[in-house]
């Protein structure tokens, strides 16, 4: 009887905690990338980036009290970090259907409920060799939200590929898998949220795919193109996340307070706690993995910082959305089967979505060696082809 009362009290406490976490005041502003373009003007390399801030609140207006932009530079070869490039920055907003130069001072700006604000940043680089030396820019946006929730400091980052508008020859590596199948790993640029997932994958595969191929793409690159990554600085982790993360292996993405808080925000403390308890009981009788079955794909698809390539190694990457729809659209265009997979160097193969279930067994057998690699290969797209 005492045990039952303790469990009921624990359940009541956890449900109240979930209600508090879910309904506590939060900013509902989102920073969304739109597009970018590069051009030459007055002898300078000019980069124009368009962003949008949306207020998803139905009733509350929120202020952006400050916003600052910072650029990191990465070279062509080896994706090496670089510094000390001189540039001029100009910030504009669209107000009353007119573009307004802010002269690099951000005035406190009110964004009303269910409305949006368009922001344009223009960078001018005086270095003539800039395009030859630098391939990627990592735009970091530091911005303050101010409203009924108090004030929150956020950081959002977006990859700019300076060669993104160029046509490049395909780089494909052939990999023997076994006596029946071989793989073709397709090298890509570092992908980002300015890349449309469907059209980007199709473009890399044009002229490479053959009839009866099976196209696979890693879940993390797809999630990144969907802007499904977040800076740990944007998470307000709680005592629950600090406590619950201790129950996981140090290499797990749930072994840190931020990784755990992201899962709490998705499915709640109650479900996680009881999944841990039930998972522990099943582990005592030799049955592992019950926690991840009870918490769903969200828990197993979180990649904590350092879990992916530079410069995303400082972000937490979540699982992709609408993976089934992605597979269907690419499959219809290329007329081959398509799958989104989660593969690692330890022999783990998960097929998250596919255009046809009949290919799942083939993939689970042939992706054990992880032909896409688990490092900095930049080959997220792999074709599985039956040998002739």
């Amino acid at each position: 009887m005492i045990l039952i009362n303790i469990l009921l009290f624990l359940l009541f406490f956890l449900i109240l905690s979930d209600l508090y976490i879910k309904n506590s005041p939060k900013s509902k502003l989102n920073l969304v990338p739109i597009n970018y373009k590069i051009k030459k003007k007055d002898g300078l390399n000019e980069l124009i980036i368009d962003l949008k801030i949306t207020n998803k609140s139905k009733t509350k207006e929120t202020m952006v009290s400050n916003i600052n932009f910072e650029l990191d530079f990465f070279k062509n070869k080896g994706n090496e970090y670089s510094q000390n490039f001189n540039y001029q920055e100009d910030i504009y907003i669209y107000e009353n259907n007119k573009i307004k130069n802010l002269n690099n001072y951000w005035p406190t700006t009110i964004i009303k409920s269910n409305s949006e604000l368009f922001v344009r940043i223009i960078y001018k680089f005086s270095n003539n060799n800039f395009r030859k030396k630098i391939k990627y820019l990592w735009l970091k946006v530091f911005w303050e939200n101010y409203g009924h929730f108090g004030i929150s400091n956020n950081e959002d980052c977006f990859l700019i590929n300076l060669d993104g508008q160029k046509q490049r020859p395909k780089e494909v590596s052939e990999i023997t898998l076994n006596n029946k199948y071989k793989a073709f790993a397709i090298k890509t640029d570092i992908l980002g949220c300015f890349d449309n997932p469907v059209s980007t994958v199709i473009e890399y595969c044009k002229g490479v795919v053959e009839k009866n191929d099976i196209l696979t793409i890693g879940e993390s690159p797809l999630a990144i193109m969907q802007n499904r990554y977040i800076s740990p600085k944007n998470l307000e982790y709680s005592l629950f996340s600090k406590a619950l993360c201790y129950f996981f292996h140090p290499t797990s993405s749930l072994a840190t307070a931020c990784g755990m808080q992201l899962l709490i925000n998705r499915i709640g403390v109650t479900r996680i706690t009881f999944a841990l308890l039930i998972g522990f009981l099943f582990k005592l009788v030799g049955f592992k993995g019950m926690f991840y079955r009870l918490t769903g794909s969200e828990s197993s698809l979180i990649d904590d910082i350092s879990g992916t390539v530079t410069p995303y190694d400082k972000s937490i990457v979540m699982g992709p959305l609408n993976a089934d729809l992605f597979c269907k659209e690419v499959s219809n265009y290329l007329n081959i089967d398509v799958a989104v997979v989660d593969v690692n160097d330890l022999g783990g193969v998960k097929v998250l979505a596919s255009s046809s279930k009949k290919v799942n067994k083939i993939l689970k057998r042939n992706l054990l060696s992880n032909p896409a690699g688990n490092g900095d290969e930049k080959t997220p797209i792999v074709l599985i082809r039956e040998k002739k």
Side-chain angles (χ1 to χ4, degrees):
M1 187 66 182
I2 295 175
L3 179 61
I4 293 174
N5 288 334
I6 291 173
L7 289 174
L8 288 174
F9 175 78
L10 175 62
L11 177 62
F12 180 72
F13 175 71
L14 291 174
I15 291 174
L16 282 180
S17 301
D18 273 333
L19 289 172
Y20 173 77
I21 292 172
K22 184 177 180 180
N23 297 302
S24 58
K26 301 178 186 69
S27 170
K28 292 192 176 181
L29 296 188
N30 285 321
L31 187 63
V32 182
I34 301 176
N35 55 47
Y36 68 92
K37 58 184 176 181
I38 308 148
K39 63 180 183 179
K40 200 93 170 179
K41 186 177 180 181
D42 300 328
L44 301 177
N45 289 293
E46 189 170 277
L47 171 65
I48 303 167
I49 306 170
D50 289 319
L51 307 171
K52 178 174 67 174
I53 302 174
T54 61
N55 187 356
K56 294 189 174 182
S57 173
K58 296 179 181 179
T59 57
K60 300 290 186 181
E61 62 180 29
T62 303
M63 287 170 267
V64 179
S65 51
N66 198 16
I67 191 166
N68 289 295
F69 302 92
E70 183 180 308
L71 288 178
D72 282 347
F73 303 89
F74 293 90
K75 293 182 179 179
N76 273 313
K77 294 184 179 179
N79 195 27
E80 296 175 359
Y81 180 72
S82 185
Q83 291 178 303
N84 302 323
F85 280 90
N86 295 322
Y87 58 87
Q88 174 187 329
E89 178 187 83
D90 291 302
I91 304 169
Y92 300 82
I93 60 172
Y94 287 88
E95 198 172 60
N96 299 322
N97 295 320
K98 294 182 180 179
I99 190 166
K100 178 183 178 182
N101 190 336
L102 299 184
N103 297 313
N104 291 330
Y105 177 82
W106 182 271
T108 297
T109 305
I110 299 173
I111 304 179
K112 295 182 179 180
S113 58
N114 286 320
S115 62
E116 53 195 21
L117 176 74
F118 290 90
V119 182
R120 170 169 286 182
I121 317 107
I122 299 179
Y123 291 103
K124 297 176 182 177
F125 300 91
S126 56
N127 191 317
N128 289 327
N129 293 322
F130 173 72
R131 292 292 301 278
K132 295 179 180 179
K133 292 183 178 180
I134 299 299
K135 183 168 185 178
Y136 302 105
L137 299 179
W138 186 238
L139 174 66
K140 296 189 282 189
V141 187
F142 304 94
W143 57 307
E144 296 174 353
N145 294 191
Y146 185 86
H148 62 289
F149 49 85
I151 188 166
S152 66
N153 294 295
N154 303 286
E155 178 182 332
D156 286 282
C157 301
F158 307 106
L159 185 82
I160 310 293
N161 182 355
L162 297 179
D163 289 341
Q165 298 165 342
K166 293 181 180 179
Q167 292 289 330
R168 290 172 299 281
K170 304 285 196 303
E171 294 185 52
V172 183
S173 302
E174 183 175 334
I175 303 164
T176 298
L177 299 176
N178 48 50
N179 293 331
K180 191 174 181 182
Y181 287 93
K182 56 185 175 181
F184 293 87
I186 301 176
K187 191 176 181 66
T188 70
D189 286 332
I190 300 176
L191 302 172
C193 57
F194 285 105
D195 296 308
N196 178 277
V198 173
S199 59
T200 298
V201 171
I202 289 172
E203 188 60 37
Y204 275 110
C205 293
K206 278 182 181 178
V208 180
V209 297
E210 294 183 2
K211 186 180 179 181
N212 298 324
D213 280 354
I214 305 171
L215 186 157
T216 69
I217 182 170
E219 45 90 17
S220 289
L222 177 58
I224 285 171
M225 286 190 284
Q226 295 176 336
N227 200 21
R228 296 270 295 163
Y229 58 93
I230 185 172
S231 168
K233 296 176 184 177
N234 295 353
L235 292 168
E236 297 181 12
Y237 49 91
S238 61
L239 289 173
F240 292 106
S241 59
K242 291 180 181 179
L244 292 171
C245 70
Y246 274 97
F247 293 95
F248 292 85
H249 191 276
T251 59
S252 169
S253 291
L254 300 179
T256 63
C258 290
M260 176 57 68
Q261 187 63 49
L262 191 59
L263 185 60
I264 288 173
N265 293 346
R266 294 290 182 275
I267 66 173
V269 174
T270 306
R271 185 174 169 185
I272 294 171
T273 302
F274 279 93
L276 272 172
L277 290 172
I278 295 170
F280 174 72
L281 294 175
F282 272 84
K283 192 176 287 187
L284 290 177
V285 295
F287 193 87
K288 297 181 180 180
M290 182 55 68
F291 171 84
Y292 293 99
R293 296 181 184 216
L294 294 173
T295 52
S297 59
E298 285 280 4
S299 58
S300 60
L301 295 180
I302 293 173
D303 282 332
D304 206 352
I305 66 169
S306 81
T308 189
V309 298
T310 305
Y312 298 103
D313 60 325
K314 294 177 174 57
S315 301
I316 304 174
V317 180
M318 298 166 275
L321 292 175
N322 303 316
D324 286 300
L325 179 61
F326 166 84
C327 292
K328 182 179 179 181
E329 290 181 351
V330 177
S331 175
N332 287 342
Y333 190 93
L334 295 175
N335 199 29
I336 60 171
D337 282 314
V338 177
V340 178
V341 297
D342 181 14
V343 185
N344 59 48
D345 282 343
L346 301 177
V349 180
K350 293 180 183 177
V351 181
L352 307 183
S354 61
S355 57
S356 173
K357 299 299 180 185
K358 68 182 181 181
V359 303
N360 291 9
K361 288 185 179 180
I362 297 173
L363 295 177
K364 288 178 180 179
R365 288 196 302 266
N366 288 282
L367 292 177
L368 290 171
S369 62
N370 193 12
N374 219 42
D376 198 21
E377 293 89 347
K378 296 195 284 292
T379 52
I381 304 170
V382 172
L383 300 176
I384 304 299
R385 183 176 299 168
E386 192 169 5
K387 291 180 179 179
K388 297 177 181 178

